[in-house]
Amino acid sequence: MKKSFSLFLCLLLLSALPGRTQDLRKWSEGLPDWSGFQIAGPARDSSSYASFTMIKNKVKVVRDGVVYQYLDITAAIDPSRSWVKADQMTDEELALIRQDFDLLEYFARLYRDDLLFEKDRDGTQQKNYIERFHNAQGRVREGESLSRYALQAGEFDITQVPVTFSERSSGVSFGLFTGLPLGSLGRLLYPSFGVSAGYEFRKGPSSLLIDASVGLNAFKRHYYGLEGSWINHSMASSVCLSVQYGRELAAAGPWRLSAGAGPCYSARIFNYNRNAAYTIGGIGLSEGLCADLLFRRAMIFSSRRPERSDAYLRLRLYSDQIWNGPLKNIIPTVNLSVGLHFDSRSISRK
């Protein structure tokens, strides 16, 4: 019975929370009258009291195809925790509370501007701004001019916040690829199909791309194994790891084109029985072109690391020339990769 009553009490309290939040009145809603205030008895020391707070709200704005995310801060009042004496419900008394409301909104906006580029982990900044509000409230009561706390007209526009972009960025890519072997392997194998993944570091127009891929090749015909017999397996596996230094050649609108080259290791593995395999490949050179099409950009503020996050459709056309040591020849391959690239660049206050 006690457990049932406790559970009922918890559910009752939880059901009351949404309504509790709805009681808060944002600064943008104004304070037209005394509605919602408690009527206090004559024992109260002052004529009225307003329960002020600050509300945090995650905001997403889409402008010209760019997604902006930030944490908005606004002043709010809780009428259910505020009170006024019945004989003091005058326009003059209400004007004083509205004045304090505007004053708190001034500091809430300063707090919001700080949070755009940093994170208030333990609430220290919020406590600091509320303390600054109370200090300013006291000075205004003593006669200080409100002009220094004037609010700017119009709504806050996150797209107009000046920012500086880091010269450095980093990102990851994932894709599908096909590789067309040439020469002697081209006569033996069909093009390979597989998956690729990469990590790219960029600084200005320069980039460093580390890319790895794995795939499968189907045989055009049987091949002659080391044991002196024809092997009838249907597939051979391929692996490749490359490191390319790149330079941006051109950029126009959402497009950018880069060229790169660097060392690589590539191999094809032939399983000619259950216990052994034969590998053809080695170290070589890889070079090619990379075209990126931007299809999504997000400006993310109010986080541990404010950043610009970009998503690209990535198309790579590149070739490998591998030195095959055992056979003393070069094995060329032409590759095509299509996938997604996700890039992030930190932003800071300008």
Side-chain angles (χ1 to χ4, degrees):
M1 184 66 181
K2 289 184 179 180
K3 291 184 178 179
S4 300
F5 178 76
S6 299
L7 179 60
F8 172 76
L9 183 59
C10 290
L11 293 174
L12 184 64
L13 290 174
L14 289 173
S15 65
L17 289 177
R20 184 69 190 82
T21 304
Q22 294 173 3
D23 289 340
L24 296 178
R25 186 176 301 168
K26 296 181 180 180
W27 176 86
S28 58
E29 300 173 16
L31 193 64
D33 49 42
W34 294 102
S35 60
F37 276 61
Q38 299 181 41
I39 305 300
R44 293 285 189 180
D45 295 335
S46 59
S47 53
S48 65
Y49 167 77
S51 176
F52 289 123
T53 187
M54 292 182 182
I55 294 179
K56 297 179 179 179
N57 183 38
K58 292 182 179 180
V59 179
K60 179 184 291 187
V61 177
V62 181
R63 189 75 54 82
D64 298 327
V66 181
V67 179
Y68 295 83
Q69 299 178 31
Y70 69 99
L71 195 62
D72 191 27
I73 310 294
T74 186
I77 188 172
D78 186 351
S80 65
R81 292 187 175 182
S82 306
W83 53 265
V84 61
K85 290 183 178 180
D87 59 348
Q88 294 291 333
M89 299 176 69
T90 63
D91 292 340
E92 292 78 10
E93 190 70 20
L94 188 59
L96 289 176
I97 296 181
R98 288 173 181 159
Q99 176 180 283
D100 291 340
F101 211 178
D102 291 343
L103 191 61
L104 180 62
E105 175 66 12
Y106 173 84
F107 287 102
R109 294 182 183 184
L110 293 181
Y111 181 37
R112 177 195 60 205
D113 293 344
D114 277 356
L115 286 188
L116 291 179
F117 297 96
E118 56 189 85
K119 195 171 183 66
D120 188 9
R121 295 182 179 278
D122 55 2
T124 301
Q125 287 176 278
Q126 181 174 352
K127 294 176 183 177
N128 177 55
Y129 276 110
I130 291 178
E131 183 178 349
R132 290 174 62 181
F133 158 68
H134 287 304
N135 292 336
Q137 186 182 34
R139 292 194 298 270
V140 169
R141 287 281 193 272
E142 294 173 358
E144 183 183 28
S145 173
L146 276 170
S147 59
R148 63 175 297 185
Y149 306 110
L151 297 172
Q152 293 184 354
E155 295 183 0
F156 173 67
D157 187 354
I158 185 63
T159 67
Q160 299 302 311
V161 174
V163 299
T164 298
F165 297 99
S166 171
E167 189 181 12
R168 298 178 177 86
S169 69
S170 61
V172 295
S173 56
F174 307 93
L176 302 176
F177 89 97
T178 179
L180 175 63
L182 303 177
S184 58
L185 281 183
R187 292 188 291 271
L188 178 65
L189 299 172
Y190 287 111
S192 61
F193 294 91
V195 295
S196 63
Y199 173 81
E200 184 178 56
F201 173 80
R202 301 180 73 93
K203 182 179 180 182
S206 301
S207 63
L208 183 67
L209 173 64
I210 302 173
D211 185 78
S213 60
V214 294
L216 292 174
N217 290 86
F219 291 105
K220 293 180 178 179
R221 58 178 181 271
H222 299 306
Y223 69 94
Y224 195 66
L226 297 181
E227 295 180 337
S229 60
W230 289 100
I231 307 303
N232 198 26
H233 291 295
S234 59
M235 290 287 181
S237 56
S238 63
V239 294
C240 182
L241 176 65
S242 65
V243 179
Q244 285 193 0
Y245 169 77
R247 292 284 292 183
E248 187 175 288
L249 301 178
W255 286 96
R256 69 183 183 189
L257 179 66
S258 305
C264 68
Y265 173 82
S266 180
R268 283 175 174 80
I269 304 170
F270 299 83
N271 298 305
Y272 61 88
N273 63 40
R274 293 182 178 180
N275 302 316
Y278 180 67
T279 300
I280 295 179
I283 297 175
L285 180 66
S286 176
E287 67 281 321
L289 296 173
C290 177
D292 291 325
L293 173 62
L294 177 68
F295 67 87
R296 184 182 184 275
R297 169 164 290 172
M299 300 283 288
I300 304 173
F301 297 88
S302 305
S303 64
R304 183 181 62 85
R305 180 179 177 267
E307 63 181 12
R308 187 186 77 187
S309 178
D310 295 334
Y312 294 90
L313 177 64
R314 168 160 287 189
L315 175 67
R316 292 183 66 214
L317 178 63
Y318 57 102
S319 62
D320 303 328
Q321 298 86 42
I322 306 302
W323 172 251
N324 182 28
L327 298 181
K328 307 297 182 184
N329 65 347
I330 294 177
I331 304 175
T333 305
V334 177
N335 307 286
L336 177 65
S337 173
V338 179
L340 299 176
H341 178 70
F342 302 95
D343 183 86
S344 64
R345 186 184 304 268
S346 63
I347 56 178
S348 56
R349 191 186 303 274
K350 191 170 183 179

